[in-house]
Amino acid sequence: MNETGANETSKYLLEARNITKVFGELRANDDVTLSLKPGEIHALLGENGAGKSTLVKIIYGSLRATSGHLFWRGRAVTVPNPAAARELGIGMVFQHFSLFDALTVTQNISLALPSDVDIGALSGRIETVSNDYGLPLRPDALVADLSVGERQRIEIVRCLLQEPRLLIMDEPTAVLTPQEADQLFVTLARLASEGCGVLYISHRLEEVRRICHDATILRHGKLAARVDPQQETAASLAALMVGTEVAAVRTDKGTAPGAPLLELSGLSLATDDQFGVSLKNINLAVRAGEIVAVAGVAGNGQGEFFDALSGELTSSNNATVKIAGVGCGREGITQRRRRDAAFVPEERLGHGAVPNFPLSENVVLTHHSVEATRLETGDGMAGSAVVRNGMIDRDAARYVNRVVTELFDVRKGTPDPEAQSLSGGNLQKFVVGREMALQPRVLVVNQPTWGVDAGAAALIRQALIDLARGGSAVLVISQDLDEIFEVADRIAVISRGEMSQAYPSEELSLERIGLLMAGAHEAVARNAGEAGAA
Amino acid sequence: MILVLEKRSRRSQAMVWLSPVLALGITVVIGGFIFASLGLDPFKALYIYFIDPMTSLWSIEELIVKAAPLVMIGVGLAICYTANVWNIGAEGQLTMGALFGSAIPIYFTDWQSPLVLVLMLVLGAIGGALFAAIPALLKNRFGANEILTSLMLVYVAQLILDWVIRGPWKDPKGFNFPQSVSFEGWQLLPLLGEGRVHLGAVLALIAAVLLWVMMGRSLRGFEIRVIGNSPRAGAFAGFAQKKVVLFCFMLSGALAGLAGICEVAGPSGQLQPVISPGYGFTAIIVAFLGRLNPIGVIFAGILLAISYLGGEAAQVELGISDKMAQVFQGMLLFLILACETLIHYRIKLAPGRGAVKEA
């Protein structure tokens, strides 16, 4: 490496000056400038669709700017591809991991390295680096056996092995327990103290305030502000991102909950997927008027749990799942919908919606076998059933789309665009709103605000609360503890396919939930017992 | 400078319909070069190949006779491929349909009634559907790759045909030729007009329109499109993928079987060792050229019928092998699939690649 040639006039490690990126008519980045010093943890904030990913992709070489310049340690550079970025010393940890489940940690890491790397020596280096930075990893462990937090460590170690000067992290804590997140912050602080710059993308404003030294905020592709996050509050950061004040969610406690509308008793489900999680003897009741949240680290059976509730996976015993008192464990998702239940899966694209279908056709996806929508706009038009006699009524579907997008503030360029053309937050508002349009008595939501901007998240959470206060039973599966404490009346924790009992949310502290997430049921139960006795 | 493919931010609606036309154009140009390399005048050869078949009443009628089975099979395959179900064995289902339908005139040679024709057509469709159900069930039950199973079953069907035609169903008065008795009266499809155009053409049109309505308007069509696009979203919608696989196979099998019995009860008038000049395979190209749209398939069917007629004409007038038709068809399929890339990507000139450059 040639260290001497650089004219170290610049105090910045990386400068992106006046970056503009145009896609068709859309200006994803419009004259954006970002600069970052060595040893600095720099937050990149913005709503979904604000242009964060575009900017990061330009820095990492997966996209080329339409205009503007990149300066690396004071010198103008072009970064034609990610390999060139890595050559400069830029590493990136993506939100979605690219790991092979059936390979070991070492094998996965070796795939990303030049082919002449000695695999034997690699295990040793992985162990050294991971221990040095407080990211313990067993090099010979199979990725399938690791938790999401551990998988993320692989990605980080993979970057660290290349001794980066700049590490880009895209929403790293979204998948971690509070304890794991704390551990990650220690690692990042250590890296920063060694002079490595960190570009940190996150929606969690509290943690940005805690660990970041500087923040660049984007809004609608433009630079909205450059602030010191430690001088700001989470609310003021959110206001800068959205452009207006974000309404706080109203969480007035409703009347006492009514009869149980969703009951699970002894729900067990063996998985046939090699890397799936089996559900073990889950008992839970959600009553009319309340929101019960299921907390847990990703990959502890949430997906299987959702599928078992929705009927995408059926049980052999009808009594394991009861909706409004009627056993329906053997019924599929359509029959459960006819029992006035609605479901919002975690994956918006490809599960909750067909990516290349227009929104109105995505309405048909979940409305085809149920009565007409019960939501109405002010124009006095009543909805009619979307499917009659096996034929689709396109006008009825378009009507539902119009009502939903209006009530849930879904922003879109054309009246009926393809689902994949919406930003994550807007699509999520559509998917949640589509189910709300049915005014379900039971709603099961998996990750309601995953990867969604603050404005959309507040709107979605408010809708969940309003639905519950209106007398429906709402079950929220989430990895976001802030969200859980914001909306939930009671909280249960899922860990390795087992579910704790549901505790009233005011009785649970972050620490206790963290322990439950890690699977220490007994310890917490004992603590709770002692606390109750004291 | 190098050419690069750049992903479009949204798929190009213009290219959806332009790409097959572009593929056709490139096929014609390459065809011209091939003719030239054979020492022929490329313009004259292309004229004989593509234009001549449409200049006389006789050849237009012949065009319809050949387009009918292509359209009938092609619309069924278009539905299959929309669902991401790969039925490659329509040729076998066609053969089975022909066998099932022919059973009536062969066993009840003297029976004359409109019911005979109806029964033959229904049995033809049933034969094709049942034979197509085999790869569907193998896929649903064992996860067997339907491309392989449906293709291999083509040879099974053709060998069964070969056996019955040389054995139990051979015409006893046929001088030992491998053929069945000749069908008579209500055992044959009514002709439309003076030439060889028969009722099959009308049935093909009806099938295309019905399936167009099904795909565009009905919940069943929606189900097929969802499963083909995104099986996980299909499960969330409550649609069963296995049922869709079986439905699509049996539907396309029924249409191929119907085309088979229409060939036997139409142009050939008896069961022979070879029923079709590869309609079941050519229909795969028809389905794609029609962009998996039943109405598009009608036009694509006519186009591919020209390549059959052109092949025959070129053999007679230019003295080149009729295998040229297959060369054209193969090139066309290849180029259709290649040109589909342009729906999602655009071609751009970009500066040559290089490592990190200092400015």
Side-chain angles (χ1 to χ4, degrees):
Chain A
M1 274 208 174
N2 183 5
E3 298 280 326
T4 51
N7 45 338
E8 298 288 333
T9 47
S10 170
K11 59 178 176 163
Y12 291 114
L13 178 66
L14 171 82
E15 276 180 282
R17 282 191 208 151
N18 311 106
I19 299 290
T20 297
K21 176 70 186 179
V22 182
F23 294 108
E25 314 92 82
L26 178 77
R27 299 177 84 83
N29 277 172
D30 190 355
D31 195 22
V32 172
T33 293
L34 177 146
S35 49
L36 187 152
K37 285 182 235 159
E40 176 180 277
I41 304 180
H42 190 111
L44 180 57
L45 300 176
E47 292 193 282
N48 273 0
K52 301 184 303 268
S53 312
T54 306
L55 182 59
V56 165
K57 280 180 187 162
I58 289 169
I59 294 172
Y60 194 59
S62 352
L63 278 179
R64 297 192 120 209
T66 312
S67 68
H69 298 283
L70 290 178
F71 294 86
W72 179 249
R73 304 173 72 209
R75 293 182 305 180
V77 289
T78 56
V79 187
N81 53 49
R86 286 194 289 271
E87 211 171 290
L88 284 174
I90 301 174
M92 176 148 185
V93 177
F94 291 91
Q95 190 177 357
H96 298 286
F97 308 148
S98 44
L99 298 172
F100 294 95
D101 277 355
L103 298 183
T104 67
V105 172
T106 311
Q107 286 165 338
N108 265 290
I109 290 179
S110 69
L111 286 175
L113 299 178
S115 51
D116 54 353
V117 170
D118 174 15
I119 305 267
L122 186 59
S123 316
R125 279 180 66 205
I126 290 171
E127 212 151 9
T128 320
V129 169
S130 63
N131 285 333
D132 278 0
Y133 288 92
L135 302 161
L137 265 183
R138 268 191 20 247
D140 57 343
L142 212 56
V143 167
D145 299 332
L146 301 181
S147 73
V148 178
E150 288 170 310
R151 289 176 198 213
Q152 186 182 56
R153 280 182 214 152
I154 304 175
E155 297 271 353
I156 298 174
V157 167
R158 176 146 83 184
C159 287
L160 294 184
L161 281 175
Q162 303 180 4
E163 291 160 10
R165 292 162 179 280
L166 172 64
L167 189 61
I168 304 173
M169 303 204 78
D170 190 3
E171 300 239 16
T173 56
V175 292
L176 303 182
T177 64
Q179 284 88 345
E180 284 174 326
D182 283 341
Q183 211 171 351
L184 175 68
F185 299 154
V186 173
T187 305
L188 293 182
R190 161 93 194 264
L191 274 170
S193 73
E194 290 175 357
C196 180
V198 178
L199 186 57
Y200 190 86
I201 303 168
S202 179
H203 280 114
R204 300 192 176 174
L205 303 173
E206 284 299 346
E207 76 188 25
V208 165
R209 288 186 54 231
R210 197 171 130 201
I211 66 166
C212 294
H213 309 111
D214 203 347
T216 295
I217 301 176
L218 302 185
R219 187 164 69 226
H220 304 316
K222 294 195 176 71
L223 182 65
R226 170 85 179 262
V227 296
D228 176 354
Q230 317 208 336
Q231 305 297 319
E232 300 284 330
T233 62
S236 69
L237 286 175
L240 284 170
M241 279 164 55
V242 182
T244 54
E245 295 289 321
V246 176
V249 175
R250 283 177 290 110
T251 53
D252 50 319
K253 294 287 166 192
T255 49
L261 288 180
L262 175 66
E263 291 164 275
L264 310 174
S265 38
L267 174 65
S268 298
L269 206 65
T271 173
D272 7 307
D273 182 355
Q274 190 186 352
F275 304 119
V277 178
S278 295
L279 302 178
K280 295 170 204 120
N281 191 26
I282 290 179
N283 296 289
L284 188 70
V286 187
R287 293 166 293 181
E290 73 170 350
I291 299 184
V292 173
V294 173
V297 179
N300 271 286
Q302 287 96 331
E304 290 81 357
F305 181 59
F306 177 84
D307 288 350
L309 291 186
S310 70
E312 283 165 270
L313 290 176
T314 51
S315 163
S316 53
N317 180 352
N318 229 4
T320 50
V321 180
K322 279 187 189 163
I323 293 173
V326 187
C328 56
R330 280 204 296 267
E331 293 181 352
I333 188 165
T334 300
Q335 285 130 303
R336 294 190 196 189
R337 284 200 180 105
R338 289 197 178 120
R339 297 193 182 285
D340 258 356
F343 311 94
V344 178
E346 174 178 3
E347 284 290 327
R348 296 180 272 273
L349 279 180
H351 192 183
V354 182
N356 54 353
F357 277 18
L359 293 183
S360 64
E361 292 201 333
N362 273 301
V363 166
V364 179
L365 206 60
T366 63
H367 285 223
H368 62 78
S369 296
V370 291
E371 287 172 45
T373 172
R374 290 167 206 155
L375 281 189
E376 284 189 24
T377 46
D379 60 10
M381 261 186 76
S384 56
V386 170
V387 172
R388 282 189 306 272
N389 303 324
M391 300 305 273
I392 293 171
D393 181 344
R394 290 185 188 174
D395 287 333
R398 286 193 198 107
Y399 171 76
V400 176
N401 176 40
R402 209 169 63 235
V403 174
V404 167
T405 51
E406 212 170 294
L407 291 180
F408 283 81
D409 186 30
V410 179
R411 290 171 214 171
K412 47 192 172 53
T414 56
D416 196 7
E418 287 182 2
Q420 63 192 357
S421 71
L422 295 188
S423 73
N426 280 313
L427 183 57
Q428 185 70 5
K429 284 190 278 189
F430 169 79
V431 170
V432 172
R434 177 182 68 189
E435 304 310 316
M436 292 288 182
L438 298 166
Q439 299 270 289
R441 295 182 68 198
V442 172
L443 179 69
V444 180
V445 197
N446 194 2
Q447 306 296 353
T449 61
W450 165 271
V452 160
D453 58 77
L459 189 144
I460 289 170
R461 288 173 194 160
Q462 189 64 58
L464 295 177
I465 290 169
D466 292 346
L467 183 72
R469 297 302 171 250
S472 297
V474 178
L475 182 67
V476 175
I477 304 166
S478 178
Q479 292 155 32
D480 182 342
L481 290 177
D482 296 338
E483 166 171 274
I484 285 179
F485 279 106
E486 196 169 352
V487 302
D489 299 300
R490 291 189 298 142
I491 302 172
V493 176
I494 190 168
S495 169
R496 297 192 192 104
E498 293 182 68
M499 179 99 62
S500 77
Q501 69 176 93
Y503 302 93
S505 50
E506 53 275 12
E507 284 178 23
L508 278 181
S509 64
L510 267 182
E511 288 66 36
R512 233 191 260 171
I513 286 201
L515 285 174
L516 280 171
M517 281 177 166
H521 291 199
E522 306 77 15
V524 175
R526 199 170 57 240
N527 286 349
E530 281 165 12
Chain B
M1 298 291 269
I2 51 169
L3 284 173
V4 292
L5 283 174
E6 188 185 71
K7 194 149 175 55
R8 297 176 191 267
S9 53
R10 54 196 303 178
R11 62 198 215 122
S12 158
Q13 279 306 320
M15 269 300 162
V16 168
W17 291 105
L18 224 55
S19 74
V21 177
L22 191 64
L24 197 63
I26 301 174
T27 307
V28 169
V29 170
I30 297 179
F33 279 109
I34 294 177
F35 285 132
S37 71
L38 290 171
L40 300 164
D41 175 1
F43 295 100
K44 183 180 167 225
L46 285 172
Y47 178 84
I48 290 173
Y49 208 103
F50 287 106
I51 310 293
D52 213 31
M54 291 186 292
T55 50
S56 72
L57 183 66
W58 173 83
S59 55
I60 287 179
E61 282 190 345
E62 206 53 26
L63 201 63
I64 296 172
V65 169
K66 292 211 154 42
L70 288 175
V71 171
M72 205 184 286
I73 304 168
V75 286
L77 293 183
I79 308 305
C80 265
Y81 300 159
T82 303
N84 226 346
V85 172
W86 300 99
N87 179 4
I88 306 297
E91 185 76 6
Q93 292 139 27
L94 174 148
T95 306
M96 263 311 165
L99 276 172
F100 266 60
S102 300
I104 301 277
I106 287 172
Y107 284 114
F108 307 96
T109 314
D110 298 328
W111 186 18
Q112 283 294 341
S113 145
L115 189 63
V116 172
L117 186 62
V118 174
L119 260 180
M120 283 169 71
L121 294 178
V122 169
L123 271 178
I126 289 177
L130 288 180
F131 201 60
I134 299 172
L137 294 173
L138 289 175
K139 178 184 171 70
N140 285 345
R141 179 70 184 82
F142 302 108
N145 184 315
E146 76 271 27
I147 298 177
L148 298 178
T149 51
S150 63
L151 178 62
M152 290 191 293
L153 283 167
V154 172
Y155 307 110
V156 174
Q158 287 176 340
L159 288 172
I160 292 175
L161 169 67
D162 208 60
W163 170 64
V164 296
I165 209 73
R166 291 172 201 277
W169 286 7
K170 190 165 63 182
D171 182 1
K173 301 185 199 110
F175 307 103
N176 226 11
F177 279 108
Q179 58 192 32
S180 74
V181 292
S182 292
F183 302 172
E184 304 287 345
W186 281 111
Q187 298 162 348
L188 291 171
L189 283 172
L191 295 176
L192 310 175
E194 303 293 311
R196 299 213 304 152
V197 179
H198 53 80
L199 190 65
V202 179
L203 293 178
L205 275 183
I206 293 174
V209 171
L210 283 181
L211 290 190
W212 179 66
V213 173
M214 180 185 91
M215 291 310 283
R217 296 279 161 174
S218 76
L219 184 61
R220 175 50 61 94
F222 181 75
E223 179 176 352
I224 289 169
R225 291 195 295 126
V226 171
I227 290 287
N229 256 292
S230 172
R232 188 95 171 90
F236 182 63
F239 303 147
Q241 187 173 14
K242 290 183 176 181
K243 280 188 196 157
V244 170
V245 169
L246 188 62
F247 175 82
C248 287
F249 253 108
M250 291 188 74
L251 177 74
S252 59
L255 286 167
L258 193 60
I261 187 60
C262 284
E263 279 306 294
V264 175
S268 67
Q270 66 187 155
L271 213 48
Q272 292 173 335
V274 173
I275 299 169
S276 104
Y279 288 140
F281 292 117
T282 307
I284 298 171
I285 307 171
V286 170
F288 278 108
L289 184 63
R291 294 219 49 81
L292 306 185
N293 177 318
I295 302 300
V297 164
I298 298 177
F299 296 101
I302 293 171
L303 211 89
L304 265 295
I306 292 179
S307 79
Y308 274 118
L309 282 187
E312 288 173 9
Q315 192 178 19
V316 174
E317 296 193 28
L318 302 170
I320 56 174
S321 163
D322 65 345
K323 292 282 183 290
M324 193 63 202
Q326 288 176 19
V327 172
F328 267 111
Q329 291 174 3
M331 241 175 2
L332 185 58
L333 177 62
F334 176 81
L335 289 164
I336 290 167
L337 297 178
C339 287
E340 277 198 16
T341 310
L342 296 174
I343 296 170
H344 296 285
Y345 293 86
R346 65 167 64 90
I347 297 176
K348 233 178 97 170
L349 272 179
R353 67 178 70 232
V356 183
K357 273 188 275 181
E358 312 266 328

